[in-house]
Amino acid sequence: TKNEAFRTVTIQGQEVSKEKYRSAKDEVSGRLTYTESKWDGGAWADETTCYESSANNTPAAGRPIFRTFADGTAEIITYALVNGQLKITVSRGDNSTGTLTQPVITQGTRTTTLYNVTSTEISKEVHDIASNLLLSMETGIEFDVSGRVTKKVFNANLDDHEINRYTKSRVLRQGG
């Protein structure tokens, strides 16, 4: 199944931009691909997002699994349940060896984020893909009764931390 929508912006009779929106469902995998194309008077630039089938019985169901961007970069997104917590890994970088529908990322960054059962981010690590070098790390080490992070350390340095105090209307942050 394919759907399309178009939008044109005209100023004083002159077309200045155009946009096309297309979606298509793969009948075999059930995945939905959504492409947004923009024209600025010169060339068309496409950005594509592919969503996993909502019928798929995995943590990825209904979520984006990859994005390709007009500048030749892409994101590949994976989801896993680890001890009841959601782990989302986003690899982003150069897609020169991949395609718009099958990205391949060998250079860039890989960000792994872990969320607890209340959907609170409890840790995040960023690695360089090519070397696997750890670039940064944030880890929640103290939590309130609602599962929210009250103390977060950076790069495993207990002296480099952030303390969050929650009130009914806002979060108060204090760095250390």
Side-chain angles (χ1 to χ4, degrees), residues 5-7 10 15 26 30-31 45 48 59 66 74 90-91 99 105 108 114 116 118 122 128 136-138 151 158 164:
F6 301 92
R7 178 176 174 230
T10 305
E15 285 186 352
D26 183 298
R31 291 178 173 168
T48 300
F66 72 78
V90 179
S91 299
T99 66
I105 300 171
L114 190 62
N116 66 14
T118 64
I122 59 172
D128 174 74
S136 68
M137 180 172 56
E138 301 175 11
K151 186 173 184 179
L158 293 176
N164 295 316

Side-chain angles (χ1 to χ4, degrees), residues 106-167:
T106 56
Q107 294 183 29
T109 58
R110 180 180 59 253
T111 303
T112 303
T113 309
L114 190 62
Y115 297 88
N116 66 14
V117 294
T118 64
S119 300
T120 300
E121 179 183 303
I122 59 172
S123 70
K124 181 189 291 185
E125 290 185 0
V126 180
H127 288 85
D128 174 74
I129 291 174
S131 67
N132 201 35
L133 176 69
L134 178 64
L135 302 174
S136 68
M137 180 172 56
E138 301 175 11
T139 308
I141 61 169
E142 294 178 11
F143 303 87
D144 67 9
V145 295
S146 298
R148 298 175 295 193
V149 176
T150 56
K151 186 173 184 179
K152 180 190 301 184
V153 296
F154 300 94
N155 300 316
N157 179 353
L158 293 176
D159 292 328
D160 188 5
H161 64 273
E162 175 181 279
I163 295 173
N164 295 316
R165 291 188 181 91
Y166 298 91
T167 65

Side-chain angles (χ1 to χ4, degrees), residues 38-139:
K38 294 184 178 183
W39 176 80
D40 62 3
W44 284 92
D46 290 345
E47 293 188 3
T48 300
T49 303
C50 180
Y51 295 87
E52 183 59 80
S53 168
S54 56
N56 187 339
N57 192 21
T58 69
R63 297 177 187 218
I65 55 173
F66 72 78
R67 292 184 177 108
T68 55
F69 301 99
D71 64 0
T73 62
E75 286 181 340
I76 299 172
I77 309 160
T78 61
Y79 306 85
L81 286 177
V82 178
N83 298 322
Q85 298 175 328
L86 179 63
K87 178 174 130 179
I88 301 175
T89 303
V90 179
S91 299
R92 184 174 183 146
D94 178 48
N95 187 36
S96 59
T97 59
T99 66
L100 288 176
T101 58
Q102 190 62 45
V104 175
I105 300 171
T106 56
Q107 294 183 29
T109 58
R110 180 180 59 253
T111 303
T112 303
T113 309
L114 190 62
Y115 297 88
N116 66 14
V117 294
T118 64
S119 300
T120 300
E121 179 183 303
I122 59 172
S123 70
K124 181 189 291 185
E125 290 185 0
V126 180
H127 288 85
D128 174 74
I129 291 174
S131 67
N132 201 35
L133 176 69
L134 178 64
L135 302 174
S136 68
M137 180 172 56
E138 301 175 11
T139 308

